[in-house]
Amino acid sequence: MSPRESKQWDWRSEVKEKMKKAGPRGSIRELRDYTLIEGELYRRLPGGILSRCINKKEGKLRLDELHTQACGIAEKTSLYRRMQRMGYYWPNMNRMAATIQEKCQEC
Ligand SMILES: [Zn+2]
């Protein structure tokens, strides 16, 4: 089993590990938008908003919660945008949010 598939694997650990290796003056392009605050990983979005990086398991949970609240409401804001507003981020958030809405009859 590759580390990517293991239960312990968390994409944030990989980013943190890369940041550590790159050092304080590291300027790796893909790390540019990440920042650590008291050990927690955040991603800087356009406009300077910080989103808390969460793992996929928590992300799925938050998505389901938010979908339950927002489903069927006339306001046409995508689930992804709502998640952004709540201040969450993980790499597949966009795709996962879109999939939930595609499967839903009410959305
Ligand atoms: Zn829905």
Side-chain angles (χ1 to χ4, degrees):
M1 194 159 72
S2 81
R4 205 165 268 274
E5 288 164 66
S6 96
K7 272 184 194 147
Q8 255 84 55
W9 188 82
D10 188 321
W11 71 275
R12 296 171 301 181
S13 310
E14 198 175 288
V15 175
K16 283 184 194 176
E17 203 50 43
K18 280 182 188 164
M19 286 171 99
K20 216 190 282 172
K21 277 182 194 158
R25 289 181 177 277
S27 56
I28 299 174
R29 207 185 165 86
E30 63 172 306
L31 299 178
R32 207 180 40 191
D33 296 330
Y34 291 104
T35 184
L36 279 173
I37 300 170
E38 287 169 9
E40 288 281 320
L41 192 65
Y42 286 82
R43 188 182 164 92
R44 205 174 293 110
L45 299 178
I49 305 151
L50 287 178
S51 284
R52 192 164 66 89
C53 293
I54 57 179
N55 65 25
K56 280 176 196 164
K57 198 178 158 213
E58 188 183 348
K60 178 78 174 59
L61 223 78
R62 299 276 170 253
L63 259 182
D64 284 342
E65 269 176 24
L66 200 62
H67 177 231
T68 308
Q69 289 166 22
C71 188
I73 293 170
E75 191 198 340
K76 287 287 167 206
T77 309
S78 76
L79 209 48
Y80 175 64
R81 283 254 166 247
R82 286 177 188 273
M83 286 294 281
Q84 273 191 328
R85 277 192 210 158
M86 303 286 286
Y88 298 122
Y89 175 84
W90 74 94
N92 271 335
M93 186 165 98
N94 195 354
R95 203 183 316 154
M96 259 169 87
T99 306
I100 287 181
Q101 291 202 291
E102 276 163 22
K103 283 186 191 159
C104 178
Q105 303 277 331
E106 311 291 326
C107 275

